[in-house]
Amino acid sequence: MFKVLVSDPISEDGIRALLDSDQVQVDQKTDLSPEALKETIPEYDGLIVRSQTKVTKEILECATKLKVIGRAGVGVDTIDLEAATEHGVIVVNAPNGNTISTCEHTFAMLMASARNIPQAHKTLTEGNWDRKTYKGVELKGKTLGIVGMGRIGTEVSKRAKAFQMNVIGYDPFLTEERASQIGIQKGDLDKIYENADFITVHTPLIKETHHLINKSAFQKMKKGVRIVNCARGGIIDETALLEAIDEGIVARAALDVFEEEPPTDNPLVGKPEVIVTPHLGASTSEAQLYVAEDVSQEILNILSDQPFQNAVNMPAVNDETRKILEPYYLLSEKLGEMMIQLAKQPPRHIKISYAGTLTDFNTELVTRTFVKGLLSHYLGEKVNIVNATHLAKQYGLSYSVENTTASLGYSGLISVTLTTDEGEYSAAGTLFDGLGPRIVHVNQYTIDIAPTDRLLYIQHTDVPGIIGHVGSLLGKHEINIATMQVGRKQVGGQAIMMLTIDKALSEEVLGELLQVDHIHSAKNIDL
Ligand SMILES: NC(=O)C1=CN([C@@H]2O[C@H](COP(=O)(O)OP(=O)(O)OC[C@H]3O[C@@H](n4cnc5c(N)ncnc54)[C@H](O)[C@@H]3O)[C@@H](O)[C@H]2O)C=CC1
Ligand SMILES: O=C(O)CCC(=O)C(=O)O
């Protein structure tokens, strides 16, 4: 039975799939302090949060069983992603469920700022009938600048078009073609600042977007611009915004989000030119239902080892690709385990080449599985496909991946080279129809062996009688040989022998083997 903790208020109907599952016990504890969360988190396999719970490094360090964090929303800036990845915890979000609600809230803020609705409401409820102060502006014919043309930005642009606004969008991924499909102009920040009567931001809060709208940006804007932020506090520099309002550059600001939430002593809150809402963009019944349904389903999928879509620290693989690649996961993991045991020094670099049909797919998970196999031999269960490449980096182990045409006649081939300070180790594997994974090259010798539990790897000179010696020595020690493969590059030259055996050789037996003339090394390989 898996245990999932819901630590923020989430739609109960939305988590129905989890509540009804007989594989999962759900605990809803929405008033935990960070200390209390640290104490309780070790019990849980899954955690569902909105933006209230801050999933910090310290909490993740205590989360010894945690496999997945579900963010019922888009922004994952309240989760320490690096720490989650390091601890092998998959983070999934619900990127689509609150798009419309947030877009509609943005539009409500835009219109409220055009017509001074909250300010007018306030004066009237205070007993004043003031029609002069609150003269507004029309949207029709005005220019709206949208910074961030992702899901929400795009929906905002559609609604702005319906209001007959001119829209200029800026996004590093916005092409001319897409802009013209949506019916907007593609611009850059300067074009937006120069032309926009309204500006709305819809980017994530990341290093590049922190204080994206700053003092110098405000200096370039049209006098009387109205600005909306329903994305994240911190995209707009609040100090610079305050100055720009005081200087008369910004006529109105409408903010749903703040650098500090809830805002304390924030001079923007209460300023007559500023409309504020307490991070309500996604607060509709519909959005809360959708995001809770989406993360619940993802959590169920992850806990039951089914495909999932919205991991932010893992690549998504569709069902069809997964079916094709799944057998290669086992092969690549075994290759990784084998190669780390073959290497005599710590690896510095891994080069993975994919050939044949594998080049048609996103093989990132195959790569991660290889790295997992390689690391887990020494690091054990703490390594998984979420943190494998991250951990590799921590150990100074770099990797590169390439697609090649050198499939050597196999339908799909994975070739790997490990570089160490004292040389390279290589291996390649494929899938044989009906036979499953096979290792077909080791250190440039051609062989054909299934990566089963226990292998014996021998390097020797190609002379008559070696196979007999090995066979009788293992027989003497009652070690059964299941299969044996010999690979050589030329007659009488260096050769390798790989055996599938039923039990590992003790140090003594390995020692005896090394006494045999022409045997240079022998090694148990545990897979
Ligand atoms: N107020 C609220 O309650 C809610 C806020 N949000 C926030 O809204 C924001 C946008 O959400 P979505 O549209 O779903 O995300 P999205 O990922 O679909 O779109 C974000 C876009 O920003 C673009 N971008 C990144 N850096 C940029 C830069 N420097 N300049 C211009 N564009 C840049 C990206 O290319 C991407 O297209 C996020 O920060 C999210 O957390 C989302 C839902 C609710
Ligand atoms: O959970 C919420 O209401 C916040 C939503 C949000 O900001 C997001 O999805 O990024």
Side-chain angles (χ1 to χ4, degrees), residues 27-45:
D27 293 340
Q28 303 187 56
K29 300 178 187 171
T30 54
D31 49 6
L32 293 173
S33 66
E35 276 314 307
L37 180 57
K38 265 202 237 171
E39 266 170 41
T40 192
I41 199 70
E43 293 171 44
Y44 292 96
D45 305 277

Side-chain angles (χ1 to χ4, degrees), residues 50-51 71-75 98 232 279 282-283 288:
R50 270 177 77 180
S51 47
R71 160 65 165 114
V74 182
N98 63 24
R232 277 293 177 273
H279 203 145
S283 288
Q288 286 315 305

Side-chain angles (χ1 to χ4, degrees), residues 220 225 258 328 371:
K220 294 177 190 166
V225 66
F258 303 87
Y328 285 101
V371 180

Side-chain angles (χ1 to χ4, degrees), residues 8-9 49-52 71-77 94 98 102 152 230-232 256-257 279-283 288 291:
D8 284 337
V49 295
R50 270 177 77 180
S51 47
Q52 210 167 291
R71 160 65 165 114
V74 182
V76 284
D77 41 318
N98 63 24
T102 311
I152 298 169
C230 289
R232 277 293 177 273
D256 184 44
V257 286
H279 203 145
L280 289 182
S283 288
Q288 286 315 305
V291 293

Side-chain angles (χ1 to χ4, degrees), residues 1-280:
M1 175 77 90
F2 294 112
K3 286 184 79 178
V4 173
L5 173 66
V6 177
S7 66
D8 284 337
I10 304 276
S11 156
E12 184 126 347
D13 285 342
I15 57 168
R16 182 60 45 213
L18 283 172
L19 293 170
D20 290 350
S21 164
D22 50 13
Q23 305 294 316
V24 178
Q25 176 191 320
V26 180
D27 293 340
Q28 303 187 56
K29 300 178 187 171
T30 54
D31 49 6
L32 293 173
S33 66
E35 276 314 307
L37 180 57
K38 265 202 237 171
E39 266 170 41
T40 192
I41 199 70
E43 293 171 44
Y44 292 96
D45 305 277
L47 171 67
I48 300 187
V49 295
R50 270 177 77 180
S51 47
Q52 210 167 291
T53 302
K54 309 284 176 261
V55 189
T56 58
K57 192 170 187 272
E58 291 69 39
I59 285 167
L60 282 156
E61 267 157 17
C62 302
T64 42
K65 273 176 74 187
L66 199 65
K67 296 170 187 65
V68 53
I69 300 169
R71 160 65 165 114
V74 182
V76 284
D77 41 318
T78 44
I79 299 170
D80 187 331
L81 270 188
E82 193 175 326
T85 304
E86 196 172 319
H87 287 87
V89 179
I90 301 176
V91 178
V92 285
N93 68 352
N96 301 306
N98 63 24
T99 301
I100 298 300
S101 290
T102 311
C103 157
E104 289 180 357
H105 194 72
T106 304
F107 230 82
M109 295 291 259
L110 194 81
M111 295 185 75
S113 76
R115 302 304 295 270
N116 305 304
I117 291 169
Q119 295 91 335
H121 170 89
K122 184 165 179 278
T123 45
L124 183 53
T125 54
E126 284 166 358
N128 303 310
W129 183 258
D130 181 356
R131 299 181 64 227
K132 252 196 230 143
T133 313
Y134 299 118
K135 189 167 77 180
V137 292
E138 284 189 350
L139 298 187
K140 183 181 172 191
K142 300 292 185 316
T143 296
L144 171 66
I146 304 181
V147 182
M149 282 293 296
R151 287 174 291 257
I152 298 169
T154 302
E155 289 301 324
V156 169
S157 75
K158 290 185 198 163
R159 282 148 185 83
K161 297 276 304 160
F163 275 82
Q164 297 175 286
M165 299 184 85
N166 308 312
V167 180
I168 307 175
Y170 167 64
D171 190 297
F173 296 110
L174 181 66
T175 58
E176 286 289 358
E177 195 190 353
R178 200 171 138 247
S180 81
Q181 271 168 6
I182 311 170
I184 64 164
Q185 285 179 61
K186 171 182 175 314
D188 56 19
L189 289 173
D190 280 348
K191 185 165 176 183
I192 287 177
Y193 299 152
E194 216 175 285
N195 294 287
D197 305 292
F198 293 83
I199 296 177
T200 180
V201 293
H202 298 287
T203 69
L205 177 65
I206 46 177
K207 216 164 55 230
E208 291 74 20
T209 59
H210 181 251
H211 289 184
L212 181 70
I213 312 285
N214 52 23
K215 190 177 171 66
S216 86
F218 284 118
Q219 296 300 325
K220 294 177 190 166
M221 290 179 195
K222 269 169 93 168
K223 210 164 168 21
V225 66
R226 286 168 156 79
I227 190 146
V228 180
N229 185 0
C230 289
R232 277 293 177 273
I235 299 170
I236 299 175
D237 176 347
E238 289 179 352
T239 310
L241 173 61
L242 198 63
E243 278 171 24
I245 295 169
D246 290 339
E247 287 167 16
I249 300 171
V250 172
R252 295 285 180 273
L255 308 175
D256 184 44
V257 286
F258 303 87
E259 295 199 22
E260 185 198 340
E261 290 185 9
T264 46
D265 297 328
N266 186 329
L268 289 164
V269 178
K271 203 164 172 68
E273 296 87 348
V274 183
I275 298 168
V276 289
T277 47
H279 203 145
L280 289 182

